[in-house]
Amino acid sequence: MCIRVIGASNRRYAHIGDVIVAVIKETVPNAPLERSEVIKVVIICTCKELRRDNSMIIRYDDNAAVVIDQEGNPKGTRIFGAIAHELRQLNFTKIVSLALEELIMNPLISAAFVITAGLAVGLAFIGLGVGQGTATGQAIEGIARQPEAEGKIRVLYCLV
């Protein structure tokens, strides 16, 4: 449970990379930390989304924090799951090195995402055009074979 956000005069909520003072509510048996102990932690994951400068939004399924000592080094030896790249920019490099993966958005990868999305949309519209052309061709063939059924075929073509 959060007691106070360090470095913020009157902020109620902490974001990724903030150091907070917290109280341990529950622990696992044989843990080095005890219940109701006051500790300092760094927030590494939040359910509240984080918007980056390149308009990318990062949202985690759960809130998570890492217990740190007075120098800012993590007390644990393993961190599971992906963490945000912003922790590296805030000089929590030891936490980043312990994590299994880091969410980095390289400009080259970002450009590849945009190009891939553009190709996918373009191919979808080509498929749509081919489908419309096929339907139109079949309607014209049907009218050519049975000119007396032109009204019914035209109504069916307009519905499709």
Side-chain angles (χ1 to χ4, degrees):
M1 181 173 81
C2 177
I3 295 176
R4 181 146 181 89
V5 179
I6 296 178
S9 61
N10 199 12
R11 254 184 28 209
R12 289 182 54 159
Y13 304 109
H15 303 288
I16 292 178
D18 287 342
V19 178
I20 66 170
V21 176
V23 173
I24 298 176
K25 293 188 90 172
E26 61 183 61
T27 63
V28 294
N30 300 327
L33 302 172
E34 295 182 14
R35 187 174 180 277
S36 69
E37 184 179 344
V38 178
I39 55 171
K40 286 174 69 174
V41 297
V42 176
I43 305 295
I44 61 169
C45 301
T46 59
C47 294
K48 176 69 176 162
E49 59 270 353
L50 166 73
R51 183 179 291 271
R52 289 184 172 168
D53 293 335
N54 60 0
S55 300
M56 177 185 253
I57 296 175
I58 298 174
R59 182 181 309 133
Y60 294 95
D61 293 335
D62 200 7
N63 297 326
V66 173
V67 180
I68 58 172
D69 58 11
Q70 294 298 325
E71 290 82 37
N73 298 324
K75 286 189 177 180
T77 57
R78 294 187 300 175
I79 298 173
F80 298 108
I83 62 169
H85 180 66
E86 284 75 12
L87 290 173
R88 183 181 297 275
Q89 296 168 351
L90 296 170
N91 293 328
F92 292 112
T93 52
K94 290 200 177 180
I95 294 174
V96 173
S97 65
L98 289 176
L100 296 176
E101 57 184 304
E102 181 180 358
L103 295 176
I104 301 173
M105 186 46 71
N106 192 340
L108 184 63
I109 295 172
S110 179
F113 281 152
V114 171
I115 291 170
T116 304
L119 285 173
V121 169
L123 289 174
F125 279 115
I126 289 172
L128 180 66
V130 169
Q132 287 285 335
T134 303
T136 303
Q138 293 294 323
I140 291 172
E141 282 182 21
I143 291 171
R145 276 183 290 190
Q146 296 178 346
E148 67 276 356
E150 176 184 359
K152 290 182 181 178
I153 293 174
R154 190 173 292 165
V155 169
L156 286 174
Y157 172 68
C158 289
L159 291 176
V160 175

